[in-house]
Amino acid sequence: MPNAPAYYFLLGLAYRGIGDASNEKQNLTMVTQIAAGSDLAQAAGKLLADM
Amino acid sequence: MHRQIWLFIVLTAVGAAALSAQALSVAYVQGSVQANDGSGWSEVSIGDTIPGGATVRLGDGSYVEMTASGVDITLSQAGSYPVASLLSTSRRMGGTATSAVLTTALAALVGKTPATHSTAMGVRSENMGAALGPAWVTSDSQVYLDAGKDFLKAGSYAKAVEQLQSALAEASDQEIPEVKYYLATAYSLSGNEAKALGEIADVAPSEGDSWAPDFALLKARLLIDSFAFKQAASLLQSSSADLAHNAQRARLLLSSRFGLPGDR
């Protein structure tokens, strides 16, 4: 799997839009893990909290 | 207990009613865009108001930007969209906060650094060189492309667009896809997503193009912003191999703590 925070963030958003909660959570969680502390990770964390 | 349940039901109903009552104002239209509020389909124009209970329909190659209080909604894919559903989904996607983070990340991909005096001077120098004529072993398009990239890095998106339009005018068939990618990036960072999507609609990077992974991220962002979620997911999944080979570039995002883009 690529180490690309933007990739996981966008894929998580795409799944959120589709309504696929499982894949959304998996990809946004990946952002918070591999990019901890970044703006993307914070945004991903907010989206996860809103699930 | 029963009182709490009734209170929840009433509040939910009031919230749903408020959502469905919210109307959209049409900010931009390209191509065939129609709305139906129960009295039949009619073409919409800039400045029109679309009721919250209506449905919006896009034809092939069409594009529409609509706004409500605190919400911007863009559509780029053919199909029918109930306004209430658009508003609901838009809020679930995180609204402008998510969009701002993505814009910053996109700027980091093209190497945007906070504008400094020396950066601006360097860009002016590049621009002047481009204006004086092509370098001796470099194509005209490449000179303009390099100047456009420098303006992108400096956060001067309007000037980047000027240079990249010149690059596109001079580009060979082989150079066109890369120039279009950077031009779409400049449009996107300056807030013109319709033009950004238009530039890259027919762009398909070749295997090994260094800009291909960033192109996938840009296009996916534009698709997500215009409610084309399935297309975005499909594009990202098919691009994962390219992205894996570009992890170094993606790591730039980890340090993306710049402010919002400057000259829009």
Side-chain angles (χ1 to χ4, degrees):
Chain A
M1 295 292 279
N3 176 21
Y7 170 84
Y8 289 117
F9 188 83
L10 286 166
L11 196 50
L13 273 183
Y15 282 124
R16 189 179 184 91
I18 293 168
D20 182 339
S22 174
N23 277 312
E24 174 196 343
K25 185 175 182 180
Q26 180 182 338
N27 283 282
L28 291 179
T29 300
M30 186 70 81
V31 178
T32 64
Q33 291 173 348
I34 65 174
S38 70
D39 293 343
L40 276 178
Q42 290 180 24
K46 285 180 183 173
L47 291 170
L48 283 167
D50 186 44
M51 284 185 74
Chain B
M1 185 66 181
H2 285 295
R3 180 177 295 176
Q4 287 177 324
I5 292 172
W6 274 110
L7 184 61
F8 174 77
I9 292 171
V10 168
L11 289 176
T12 302
V14 169
L19 200 63
S20 66
Q22 189 167 13
L24 294 174
S25 176
V26 178
Y28 179 80
V29 173
Q30 179 181 300
S32 173
V33 181
Q34 300 172 315
N36 185 351
D37 61 357
S39 56
W41 293 102
S42 58
E43 292 287 333
V44 303
S45 304
I46 295 172
D48 283 355
T49 298
I50 302 175
T55 297
V56 178
R57 184 168 70 183
L58 264 73
D60 283 335
S62 299
Y63 186 93
V64 63
E65 290 177 357
M66 301 168 288
T67 62
S69 56
V71 178
D72 294 328
I73 291 176
T74 299
L75 300 174
S76 68
Q77 306 297 310
S80 295
Y81 305 84
V83 171
S85 173
L86 288 174
L87 287 166
S88 165
T89 302
S90 177
R91 289 193 173 85
R92 280 200 327 108
M93 299 305 285
T96 53
T98 302
S99 182
V101 170
L102 281 172
T103 299
T104 305
L106 190 61
L109 285 175
V110 293
K112 176 184 179 296
T113 55
T116 61
H117 182 67
S118 58
T119 305
M121 291 287 283
V123 168
R124 273 199 292 277
S125 173
E126 284 275 4
N127 187 31
M128 192 176 295
L132 290 172
W136 39 301
V137 292
T138 310
S139 74
D140 288 10
S141 178
Q142 188 63 49
V143 172
Y144 287 122
L145 177 60
D146 289 344
K149 287 179 180 178
D150 283 341
F151 278 121
L152 278 174
K153 289 177 186 172
S156 299
Y157 303 128
K159 290 175 182 172
V161 166
E162 284 180 20
Q163 295 296 313
L164 294 165
Q165 284 175 331
S166 297
L168 189 57
E170 301 289 338
S172 66
D173 288 348
Q174 282 185 319
E175 292 169 321
I176 284 175
E178 182 180 10
V179 173
K180 282 191 168 185
Y181 158 65
Y182 281 103
L183 183 54
T185 299
Y187 279 135
S188 175
L189 289 172
S190 58
N192 195 335
E193 298 202 336
K195 284 194 172 179
L197 270 169
E199 285 299 338
I200 58 173
D202 60 349
V203 170
S206 300
E207 191 174 342
D209 281 338
S210 61
W211 49 275
D214 295 348
F215 168 83
L217 296 179
L218 170 67
K219 189 166 184 179
R221 187 265 165 96
L222 292 170
L223 289 170
I224 287 169
D225 279 353
S226 57
F227 287 70
F229 304 116
K230 288 181 181 174
Q231 292 90 332
S234 175
L235 172 68
L236 288 167
Q237 285 163 344
S238 65
S239 305
S240 61
D242 284 338
L243 288 163
H245 290 120
N246 206 19
Q248 173 68 31
R249 199 155 178 71
R251 274 195 286 274
L252 278 170
L253 297 170
L254 294 173
S255 58
S256 67
R257 292 180 170 278
F258 309 134
L260 287 176
D263 64 346
R264 284 173 171 258

